[in-house]
Amino acid sequence: MAARKKAAAKSRTKRAARKSTKAKVKTRAKTKAKTKARTKAKAKAKAKPKPKARSKAATKTPGTRRSPATQNGAATTPATKGGQGGSVGGKLGIRVRMYRIGFGDFFLLTVPGKSGPAHILIDCGVHAANIGSMDDCVKDMASAEVTNKKLALVILTHYHADHMSGFASNYDDFAQFEVGAVWITNRLDPKDGKASKFMAQITSVAHSLQLQLGARNDPDGEEAQRKVHNALGVELGARGGANGGGNAKALKLLQEGFKNKPPVYYYQGGDTPTLPAELEGKITADILAPSPKESGGEYSASDNKKEQYLAAAADAGGVPNHKSVRPFEKTWPASAADYPARVFHEFDSGIAERSRKPNNDGAAKLQAMLENMQPDVLAAAADKLDGTLNNQSLVVLFTCQGKKLLFVGDAQWGNWAYWLYGKAVAGKDPGITARAKEILGSIDFYKVGHHGSTNATPIPAVGALNEHAAAMCSTATGAYGSPAKKTEVPRTALMDALETKTKDRMVRSDWVPAGKTKPDAQAKAELADLPSGFTTPGDLYIDYNL
Amino acid sequence: MAKGEKNSIAREKRYPWLKIPPPPVRALQVYAIDPSTGNFQRNYMTVHVPWEPLEPGPTGRKIGVVDYDGVNKCYYPPIDLDDRLVLANDGLNPSESDPRFHQQMVYAIASRTIAMFETALGREIHWRRADRFGGAAEYDDALRKKDDIEILKLYPHAMQEANAYYSPEAHGILFGYFTANKTGQGRNLPGQRVFTCLSQDIIAHEVTHAVIDGIRTYFTEPTNPDVLAFHEGFADLAALFAHFSHKEALTEAIRLTGGRLYQTTLTPVAPQARSGFETAADAEIGAEVARTNPLVQLAQQFGEARGAERGLRSALGSKPNSDDIHKNVDEPHFRGSILVAAVFDAYFSTYMRRAEPLFRVYRAGGGRMDDDDVPAPLAELLAGCAAETAKFFFRLCARAIDYCPPVDLKFGDFLRALITVAKDLDPADIDGIRDALMEGFRQRGIYAESALFFSEGALAWQRVPPGILPPIEGLIFGNPNGLSSEEKDKDGDVLRAWATRYREALGLDAKLPVTVPSFHPVFRTSDDGRLQVEMVVEIIQSRQAAFDPCVPAAGGFPFRGGVTLIVEAPEIKLDEKGRKIPQPPVVRFAIAKTNVGHESKQREDAQRDFALSQGLAAGDTTNPSHFQANFALLHEEF
């Protein structure tokens, strides 16, 4: 009973914290809305009531919501007639669809293929802040108007539930899909002994961390636990229930579960990918990252504080502060020698050997073990684990009809460093390479890395970003970090920087309602007033049309 | 060694009657509940634990306290309980600020918990043995293993965390310390240090985990939601029943509840003048506040320090209902609390039934029952009744572990074991204990899947009919002091050979190899005062089952079947000529979870679903420890 009460109290405080974040965001949104209002007052007045009315209708009659053709009047969307025969997107027939599922990535890129629009699915997962719209989103994507269960290419950027849980939870739906090819980060190549062993170790570490962190009852521990669950594909609270089988099951789908058993390729930065026939000659793809496996741990850094949108230098960066207190007022001096030697004997490294000759290192072993069981060490380990998996992200640059679209998965510092600098960088920015500058300066679309987190999308990358680019960020507030520590996701400072850089041509997945889930507080102002090129039926997803 | 001491030893050798025999018990002072309660409810008490010679730590034969602080990276000086000044004072006086008292208290409560189990089980316990994953192949290497726990270590200040847990990896129990909440901290100072190692409940709970882990090999393998919940629930049961051995607290609680021990609050010492103002907010002085009943609460200080208004858990959580059993299936503490409530329901019912004659005598003498305050002599009698009943119930529960199947335990199995033991311990059952137990479980929706009816006859395990299983020739029961190494080796061989030969008759797979991870000779005194000698044997078969039968490469989980045997020591019989002929040991009970046939298929499917839902499919599934419980996870608090 007491435990339950406490849980309630906890969620109460959490809610309060979230409220305060929202309040902050709101004020920011308000000021922004004001400036916008001056320029686009007319358009706003027209557009405002529409999404509201639609979202209501949608919750009442969910069956009709799924057809964008019937919902988007020709007036709001230039050309949304989907299906294999028609054309989608803008003039060039390119469309990026960002589904809202909570905290996770689910992107459908549509380009003109050899036989009409061809679809590329980049990740499909949700973990924290799951709003339960995955089923609806997958159904929408599978519908005859959208993909008709045909995907030219499926990409899994990295092994995290918030990028792959949909493949597990909707396994049976996906099993009916015909797929041209599958690209996966080469860290998940089962034929690569070293890589598989490393992944096995990582999941094993994640598993033991999960168990140890589960014992804790503090916000830092909970967040660390969420990171670990993300790596395993386990849902916090309703464990496994929603995800039904975890990351392993999702990976199995990608590797062998699609209807037509498409070829699966494992890539790393610098590889020349094999495009499926449908896309050959229609688009090109460059794999920019992850860093080659041979580079060892060189690019494993999960962050570089100097290049992040952090204000305070003393920031904890996700790792809780070491709040060591001394339990006693007085000093109680003692050493291992004060204890009888036999109490350490079981830890002696000698007893595991056949000779059973004690090495007299039992006390040292015992001390090391207890020190490693400390909560802060666990949280740091969870953080490291999270960064390691994110850095495995497959970063793909698509070029189609002269337009460049960059999808970076959840790349963190090490991953970026590989293709921004061509070397590991810690500390000050040595200046990004000409090639990186050229790429970033010319892209037309950027998928914001790691849900707008502070440790992805480094400052130099935003600096070099094309002013005409549009950006999409799939995120949800209140799932990770805290504004007090300047680690909140999405990071307000980064979001602001991106909006400034792209001249407000950045949208967030949580601006649209999804079924019963209301849009984020900020969205009321934003959704009514989407930048040019972006459209939405008012529910479930936002499109970017080129 | 001083010269004088040497002389006296030499003299004692010559004149043995000079030697003073060791005392039977060692008296040690501890907090009755935890430091927060002050001396209000007789909070200091002295426990008597079995005597053993102790080295600093204290370090004894089965447990050793190692006070290493993993955060501050330092040791605290160990206490020497054999120091004469310490001995003369029944140990150090209770103190929060002296780490050596903490060591003393941890040792005292751990020893008492072990003694409780040894008395109830009728045998010496031992800790986790490493050979759980190995079979005959590793046998020659099994002399001593890294994972064997010889001495259970107790780390009173291991970590800075509101947690305490049993860690097989650390060969012991880690107790944490933390800072109380700044607000809503209950009776603690805001922000004061709270030590989990000073709570009797927490110590007893954790030691119980270690004890069960030593008795049963696969009770840490979560194959269904009940397995870990059982571990948690049982640990709470042990901690709660220990409350009733503290006579002063018990008498006071009885006085202040009018004998209705199950009440959650005690009547205030000063009756509040105006009726209808019973909450703390309406009290004008401290004595008017109705305090919570410490007997039915667990870890009071801990709960209050974390901002809850009461202890962490209690004996009777919510009103009996059959819905809870289907809720929060993933949360072992919640599920465990259902088991605790079922047992305590039966306990309090039995106690009230046994106390009824006393109340009647009291009423007949003109006493009024609507008064909460009962006279001291009556309270005394009631306390005796409550303590005796608690002892009986704990013995019942502890012995029931021996009567549980060795793998894939469910609450229903435990109920069946309880009824079987209750029939054994108290065949006449004048107080209706079995009925109370069945009612307590039934009200909470705990049924036995394997029993056809919810009746005593159907619930008790059936004795193996004669002729089904042949006797186990050559089994040595030894004597109450334990088996020698040679006897153990021989018994292991005998049991393995027997089980292999008759595995089909036991309901096991005819082809899979058999392991015997544990066997314990048991010596109990029966009703008529005779010594009853039995042996509890675990027989296990394991195989790998795939998560996805179509894709074996996706990994698998261990699927086990097994049988618990209760083997009866031979009773000497007379032949026709009147000669005494020793009889071979026979199997009284064979409590099985079969791994062949339809039932096994269902079990396997259920385990697969459960493993997948717990995220066990990920990770290194080839590592056996992957499927073992980690108590750090279990212990959201302790």
Side-chain angles (χ1 to χ4, degrees):
Chain A
M1 263 253 303
R4 255 181 293 160
K5 241 188 201 169
K6 207 178 304 155
K10 222 191 294 164
S11 72
R12 236 177 285 137
T13 52
K14 227 189 272 163
R15 239 177 284 143
R18 217 174 296 154
K19 248 187 206 165
S20 73
T21 350
K22 271 187 188 168
K24 258 190 199 169
V25 173
K26 226 184 208 171
T27 50
R28 201 173 62 80
K30 260 186 199 162
T31 50
K32 213 172 68 151
K34 258 187 205 166
T35 51
K36 273 188 186 173
R38 255 176 265 137
T39 51
K40 298 179 183 173
K42 265 187 194 171
K44 201 175 174 183
K46 259 187 194 172
K48 200 170 184 180
K50 269 181 191 163
K52 245 193 178 173
R54 271 200 196 109
S55 70
K56 257 186 197 165
T59 41
K60 270 182 199 156
T61 52
T64 56
R65 164 161 40 96
R66 286 185 198 111
S67 152
T70 54
Q71 292 220 355
N72 299 338
T76 45
T77 322
T80 36
K81 213 180 142 234
Q84 294 296 312
S87 68
V88 297
K91 274 177 266 166
L92 299 174
I94 304 171
R95 179 185 69 197
V96 186
R97 177 166 291 182
M98 170 171 65
Y99 286 101
R100 180 177 186 196
I101 59 257
F103 199 89
D105 268 16
F106 186 170
F107 284 90
L108 184 70
L109 168 64
T110 306
V111 295
K114 278 186 182 155
S115 50
H119 305 281
I120 303 170
L121 173 64
I122 303 152
D123 291 339
C124 176
V126 59
H127 187 245
N130 186 348
I131 57 172
S133 58
M134 180 59 84
D135 278 348
D136 287 345
C137 292
V138 171
K139 261 181 211 144
D140 174 84
M141 186 189 66
S143 66
E145 293 84 18
V146 186
T147 63
N148 203 17
K149 296 185 183 160
K150 283 196 180 72
L151 292 167
L153 177 63
V154 176
I155 297 176
L156 172 66
T157 58
H158 67 292
Y159 195 75
H160 258 153
D162 58 352
H163 291 250
M164 61 197 298
S165 76
F167 297 125
S169 64
N170 294 58
Y171 193 104
D172 296 340
D173 296 327
F174 275 110
Q176 299 167 22
F177 273 71
E178 270 179 49
V179 174
V182 179
W183 295 355
I184 301 178
T185 172
N186 73 343
R187 304 306 200 271
L188 295 172
D189 187 352
K191 289 201 193 78
D192 184 322
K194 252 190 184 168
S196 334
K197 203 171 162 198
F198 183 64
M199 278 313 286
Q201 275 169 356
I202 280 193
T203 25
S204 176
V205 166
H207 199 76
S208 83
L209 274 174
Q210 177 199 9
L211 298 174
Q212 297 187 57
L213 283 163
R216 297 182 56 182
N217 191 16
D218 60 292
D220 288 343
E222 255 174 46
E223 186 169 321
Q225 181 71 302
R226 227 170 299 152
K227 286 178 182 166
V228 171
H229 282 169
N230 198 11
L232 290 170
V234 179
E235 193 80 31
L236 194 70
R239 268 189 264 165
N243 283 334
N247 293 353
K249 187 176 171 188
L251 189 60
K252 210 179 89 189
L253 172 92
L254 293 169
Q255 287 167 340
E256 56 199 43
F258 288 121
K259 192 175 166 191
N260 60 327
K261 313 273 178 260
V264 181
Y265 304 100
Y266 300 88
Y267 291 129
Q268 64 184 16
D271 284 351
T272 313
T274 308
L275 283 165
E278 177 65 25
L279 294 173
E280 242 177 290
K282 292 298 212 175
I283 62 167
T284 59
D286 294 285
I287 311 284
L288 301 179
S291 60
K293 274 184 300 198
E294 304 75 50
S295 62
E298 203 185 341
Y299 296 101
S300 65
S302 59
D303 49 17
N304 178 357
K305 294 265 156 55
K306 290 234 165 69
E307 304 301 342
Q308 284 178 25
Y309 284 92
L310 293 163
D315 190 273
V319 183
N321 286 320
H322 199 284
K323 307 176 202 97
S324 151
V325 287
R326 297 200 77 88
F328 303 106
E329 262 180 345
K330 296 194 188 84
T331 311
W332 297 93
S335 73
D338 296 325
Y339 288 82
R342 67 186 174 95
V343 84
F344 301 111
H345 185 70
E346 285 166 36
F347 297 106
D348 198 297
S349 60
I351 71 145
E353 290 160 19
R354 257 172 196 281
S355 58
R356 300 188 201 288
K357 244 202 259 157
N359 291 335
N360 295 324
D361 58 356
K365 286 261 150 63
L366 179 148
Q367 291 162 20
M369 182 193 60
L370 286 185
E371 283 159 23
N372 279 327
M373 289 172 114
Q374 295 307 316
D376 285 354
V377 178
L378 296 180
D383 206 50
K384 178 87 187 144
L385 174 87
D386 193 50
T388 304
L389 288 176
N390 283 337
N391 272 335
Q392 298 182 347
S393 284
L394 195 65
V395 176
V396 189
L397 176 70
F398 287 111
T399 311
C400 176
Q401 316 237 40
K403 296 288 178 189
K404 289 181 177 173
L405 302 99
L406 179 63
F407 291 86
V408 298
D410 277 0
Q412 284 188 216
W413 179 253
N415 184 303
W416 283 92
Y418 169 66
W419 67 275
L420 282 185
Y421 305 103
K423 61 182 178 193
V425 170
K428 242 192 109 207
D429 178 18
I432 62 175
T433 61
R435 180 166 174 256
K437 231 178 240 169
E438 193 248 303
I439 292 171
L440 285 167
S442 65
I443 57 171
D444 300 278
F445 174 84
Y446 169 59
K447 199 283 315 188
V448 180
H450 202 189
H451 322 285
S453 148
T454 181
N455 52 19
T457 320
I459 292 173
V462 179
L465 195 66
N466 180 6
E467 292 184 355
H468 302 293
M472 275 180 161
C473 179
S474 60
T475 190
T477 47
Y480 284 99
S482 78
K485 284 187 183 169
K486 303 192 164 61
T487 55
E488 82 278 14
V489 179
R491 175 88 181 104
T492 314
L494 171 63
M495 293 287 103
D496 283 348
L498 279 170
E499 289 192 340
T500 312
K501 188 77 193 183
T502 61
K503 304 200 183 67
D504 282 336
R505 283 158 53 75
M506 192 209 69
V507 302
R508 279 166 51 173
S509 62
D510 58 357
W511 287 354
V512 281
K516 281 176 189 155
T517 313
K518 288 195 178 113
D520 195 77
Q522 197 180 349
K524 263 191 190 155
E526 303 282 0
L527 189 64
D529 190 19
L530 284 179
S532 65
F534 290 96
T535 53
T536 172
D539 189 28
L540 224 52
Y541 58 81
I542 301 179
D543 285 344
Y544 177 60
N545 309 290
L546 271 167
Chain B
M1 203 181 277
K3 204 180 164 198
E5 212 174 321
K6 243 183 202 168
N7 276 346
S8 75
I9 288 174
R11 209 183 296 153
E12 277 174 7
K13 244 188 182 162
R14 231 177 124 191
Y15 311 101
W17 51 88
L18 283 175
K19 194 172 171 156
I20 297 170
V25 291
R26 182 193 296 270
L28 290 169
Q29 299 186 64
V30 293
Y31 286 114
I33 294 158
D34 54 43
S36 73
T37 19
N39 201 11
F40 210 28
Q41 285 151 352
R42 316 259 184 280
N43 195 26
Y44 303 140
M45 67 183 269
T46 305
V47 295
H48 295 89
V49 300
W51 174 270
E52 60 172 335
L54 287 177
E55 288 181 79
T59 309
R61 197 159 65 85
K62 286 203 191 86
I63 46 178
V65 178
V66 183
D67 206 351
Y68 183 72
D69 184 331
V71 181
N72 292 306
K73 302 191 180 171
C74 63
Y75 283 91
Y76 300 111
I79 188 171
D80 182 5
L81 290 181
D82 279 359
D83 182 278
R84 62 198 179 95
L85 294 179
V86 177
L87 274 172
N89 193 46
D90 291 353
L92 299 177
N93 290 341
S95 151
E96 285 175 273
S97 57
D98 187 341
R100 294 169 303 177
F101 168 73
H102 298 200
Q103 298 155 6
Q104 168 183 319
M105 173 147 175
V106 167
Y107 169 80
I109 303 303
S111 287
R112 191 193 62 190
T113 310
I114 294 166
M116 264 170 71
F117 270 99
E118 293 191 337
T119 314
L121 289 170
R123 63 168 184 263
E124 267 208 67
I125 55 142
H126 63 66
W127 309 115
R128 175 190 265 244
R129 289 280 184 268
D131 50 5
R132 44 190 42 184
F133 304 123
E138 282 172 81
Y139 192 67
D140 96 302
D141 204 25
L143 205 66
R144 179 132 198 210
K145 278 191 176 170
K146 233 178 92 200
D147 300 334
D148 268 349
I149 305 179
E150 289 297 324
I151 302 173
L152 185 79
K153 272 65 154 185
L154 306 168
Y155 307 101
H157 309 102
M159 55 194 173
Q160 231 160 64
E161 185 176 3
N163 195 12
Y165 60 91
Y166 164 59
S167 161
E169 185 200 350
H171 287 212
I173 298 165
L174 282 77
F175 294 92
Y177 57 93
F178 63 103
T179 326
N181 279 7
K182 287 270 166 31
T183 54
Q185 76 286 3
R187 268 193 304 269
N188 301 294
L189 282 175
Q192 83 160 68
R193 226 65 86 235
V194 176
F195 297 98
T196 56
C197 68
L198 292 183
S199 161
Q200 280 211 17
D201 293 337
I202 296 180
I203 304 168
H205 179 106
E206 297 311 328
V207 173
T208 304
H209 276 310
V211 171
I212 300 180
D213 196 32
I215 296 175
R216 277 307 168 97
T217 315
Y218 291 108
F219 279 15
T220 46
E221 197 171 84
T223 47
N224 71 58
D226 284 358
V227 179
L228 298 184
F230 174 79
H231 239 285
E232 289 306 323
F234 200 94
D236 278 355
L237 279 176
L240 280 165
F241 276 125
H243 289 185
F244 294 89
S245 66
H246 181 206
K247 197 158 173 240
E248 283 143 339
L250 183 59
T251 316
E252 177 164 319
I254 283 178
R255 275 206 317 113
L256 296 177
T257 56
R260 290 178 290 274
L261 271 178
Y262 46 88
Q263 284 184 3
T264 48
T265 51
L266 304 177
T267 313
V269 181
Q272 288 177 5
R274 298 138 299 160
S275 63
F277 294 93
E278 266 105 33
T279 59
D282 301 315
E284 278 167 18
I285 57 166
E288 285 186 352
V289 181
R291 283 170 292 122
T292 50
N293 181 355
L295 281 183
V296 296
Q297 297 247 352
L298 277 175
Q300 207 155 317
Q301 181 185 28
F302 190 101
E304 288 182 0
R306 300 304 306 268
E309 280 153 24
R310 45 166 66 211
L312 190 55
R313 287 189 290 278
S314 63
L316 298 163
S318 49
K319 282 247 160 64
N321 66 75
S322 50
D323 299 334
D324 280 356
I325 197 85
H326 304 297
K327 283 188 219 153
N328 286 352
V329 176
D330 278 346
E331 218 293 286
H333 287 104
F334 177 75
R335 208 173 168 77
S337 71
I338 302 172
L339 182 74
V340 173
V343 172
F344 266 87
D345 184 332
Y347 165 72
F348 286 123
S349 301
T350 307
Y351 155 74
M352 287 310 276
R353 204 166 291 164
R354 285 182 174 174
E356 179 58 18
L358 296 172
F359 284 125
R360 285 170 72 172
V361 170
Y362 174 57
R363 281 199 300 267
R368 282 189 12 234
M369 278 319 294
D370 42 353
D371 274 345
D372 274 338
D373 208 353
V374 298
L378 177 60
E380 198 80 1
L381 283 172
L382 288 171
C385 172
E388 214 31 62
T389 311
K391 218 188 231 170
F392 178 86
F393 263 79
F394 180 73
R395 193 145 59 103
L396 197 64
C397 291
R399 275 194 59 183
I401 298 179
D402 280 349
Y403 286 73
C404 284
V407 293
D408 204 21
L409 178 76
K410 296 224 164 127
F411 284 173
D413 297 323
F414 184 61
L415 171 64
R416 297 194 68 175
L418 276 174
I419 300 293
T420 313
V421 176
K423 266 178 100 169
D424 228 26
L425 277 179
D426 182 9
D429 196 18
I430 300 159
D431 300 316
I433 292 171
R434 299 201 283 273
D435 210 43
L437 277 170
M438 289 191 320
E439 194 57 14
F441 276 71
R442 194 185 59 76
Q443 291 226 355
R444 286 166 183 80
I446 304 174
Y447 307 110
E449 288 168 18
S450 50
L452 288 175
F453 305 101
F454 204 82
S455 68
E456 199 183 299
L459 281 176
W461 298 116
Q462 302 305 310
R463 283 191 71 136
V464 177
I468 300 282
L469 290 172
I472 308 175
E473 307 269 4
L475 195 64
I476 307 160
F477 288 82
N479 65 42
N481 294 323
L483 296 166
S484 70
S485 296
E486 289 77 40
E487 286 171 332
K488 270 186 199 160
D489 286 350
K490 171 130 196 292
D491 273 355
D493 291 342
V494 166
L495 286 165
R496 259 187 296 276
W498 185 88
T500 308
R501 201 160 154 205
Y502 300 109
R503 53 194 158 185
E504 244 184 308
L506 287 167
L508 297 178
D509 194 302
K511 291 193 186 84
L512 280 176
V514 164
T515 60
V516 180
S518 84
F519 49 90
H520 307 276
V522 182
F523 298 85
R524 299 180 178 122
T525 326
S526 68
D527 264 11
D528 50 7
R530 285 199 310 176
L531 190 67
Q532 244 181 349
V533 183
E534 287 171 351
M535 193 179 290
V536 184
V537 183
E538 285 184 290
I539 295 169
I540 305 281
Q541 278 186 335
S542 313
R543 67 176 167 83
Q544 275 308 106
F547 283 124
D548 186 343
C550 308
V551 192
F557 61 96
F559 177 71
R560 300 181 213 280
V563 186
T564 302
L565 297 182
I566 310 283
V567 187
E568 212 169 20
E571 201 175 89
I572 289 185
K573 282 191 179 157
L574 301 178
D575 67 359
E576 315 85 46
K577 290 176 187 159
R579 283 178 304 191
K580 289 185 173 175
I581 308 288
Q583 303 291 310
V586 287
V587 179
R588 266 180 79 206
F589 293 103
I591 300 152
K593 287 268 169 168
T594 178
N595 58 354
V596 287
H598 179 64
E599 194 189 317
S600 154
K601 180 86 190 40
Q602 277 182 330
R603 236 165 32 84
E604 189 183 326
D605 289 345
Q607 270 182 40
R608 177 177 299 116
D609 290 348
F610 186 69
L612 286 172
S613 79
Q614 296 292 298
L616 287 174
D620 182 9
T621 54
T622 54
N623 179 356
S625 68
H626 179 83
F627 292 97
Q628 294 284 318
N630 182 319
F631 285 94
L633 156 76
L634 273 180
H635 283 215
E636 172 149 10
E637 253 81 60
F638 80 95

